[in-house]
Amino acid sequence: MATKDSAKDATASWRRIEPLELTPILEAALEGFYDNGFHGTSVREIARRVGVTIPALYYHHQSKEGILLALLEVSTSDVLARAHTAYADGGDDPRQQLANVVEAIVLRMTTRSRLAALEGEVRYLSPENRQRYRVVRKGVEELVLGIVTEGAERGVFSVADIPETTRALLAMCQSIPRWYHAEGELTPAEVAQKYAVIALNTVGCKPSRKRAR
């Protein structure tokens, strides 16, 4: 039988971001793409970083684009799962739901900034692979859109344009990898909490919630 404390730990798991486990090839590719960009990183360079031959690398991934897609799918699936858990932890309160989801997204953007920064390389995907990526990413947008819509319908939020407000909230979060540095003044948790407040202000709602820690 689960205890009250264990249930609390489970619902707050979205705030704990453990070290990401990637295969050696994906880890090497992530480092290369972050340092030199997708076009600036050759398959030969990735193989060299891993310590394998190019044919061995192609055995696991058909192309460099396939490696990028694999990393993007890991990234978007991770943030989507965390966002849904954070949403559930908000109960029936749109304010808490939105604050939690934004906090979850920002925690992931700051703690796994190298992975999050890969979204800038999506333009190099083929149309087919770009669509595969967008299907997963769309899940995050639909979750936030649903929260903002529900909050507006219940009079909790004051929003003139729900779709555009949703896109603005997500764009705000997605821009974080462009400026955030781990050695900066703010910790990931501090940035996440600030952005949660900004999100609530954006939808016309003053933060009046108790934050579980």
Side-chain angles (χ1 to χ4, degrees):
M1 180 177 177
T3 65
K4 182 178 180 180
D5 287 340
S6 66
K8 181 179 179 180
D9 287 343
T11 56
S13 62
W14 54 270
R15 286 194 176 103
R16 296 193 300 271
I17 300 183
E18 304 296 335
L20 187 64
E21 294 184 4
L22 295 174
T23 66
I25 291 175
L26 292 182
E27 185 65 46
L30 177 59
E31 292 177 2
F33 294 158
Y34 184 81
D35 293 339
N36 306 308
F38 178 75
H39 271 320
T41 306
S42 66
V43 172
R44 185 178 300 278
E45 170 63 16
I46 296 172
R48 185 194 64 78
R49 287 175 181 252
V50 183
V52 300
T53 64
I54 292 178
L57 186 148
Y58 280 135
Y59 175 80
H60 296 282
H61 299 277
Q62 292 183 344
S63 64
K64 187 173 71 167
E65 182 184 334
I67 295 174
L68 174 60
L69 179 62
L71 285 168
L72 286 168
E73 288 181 335
V74 167
S75 176
T76 50
S77 296
D78 174 59
V79 72
L80 180 59
R82 291 180 180 280
H84 274 287
T85 305
Y87 166 77
D89 198 18
D92 190 41
D93 184 357
R95 292 167 296 189
Q96 190 67 60
Q97 291 169 354
L98 182 62
N100 283 2
V101 170
V102 169
E103 185 179 346
I105 294 172
V106 175
L107 280 173
R108 180 263 183 185
M109 289 287 181
T110 50
T111 306
R112 294 180 176 166
S113 56
R114 289 194 171 199
L115 196 61
L118 281 183
E119 292 199 4
E121 308 294 331
V122 171
R123 62 188 182 276
Y124 296 121
L125 293 178
S126 65
E128 179 183 355
N129 284 335
R130 197 176 303 134
Q131 181 59 30
R132 285 181 57 183
Y133 162 75
R134 285 175 175 168
V135 166
V136 181
R137 181 177 172 181
K138 188 72 174 177
V140 178
E141 181 179 343
E142 290 175 346
L143 177 63
V144 177
L145 178 64
I147 295 171
V148 176
T149 300
E150 175 74 11
E153 290 176 349
R154 290 170 54 178
V156 177
F157 300 155
S158 177
V159 181
D161 190 325
I162 293 174
E164 284 303 318
T165 300
T166 298
R167 281 189 280 270
L169 289 172
L170 292 174
M172 171 185 76
C173 297
Q174 290 160 358
S175 69
I176 291 174
R178 300 175 188 170
W179 62 265
Y180 180 79
H181 296 285
E183 63 272 15
E185 295 182 358
L186 296 176
T187 66
E190 289 171 337
V191 176
Q193 290 169 31
K194 286 178 179 293
Y195 270 61
V197 172
I198 292 171
L200 290 174
N201 287 335
T202 300
V203 296
C205 174
K206 296 297 182 182
S208 59
R209 65 193 191 285
K210 295 181 180 179
R211 303 183 61 79
R213 289 294 179 190

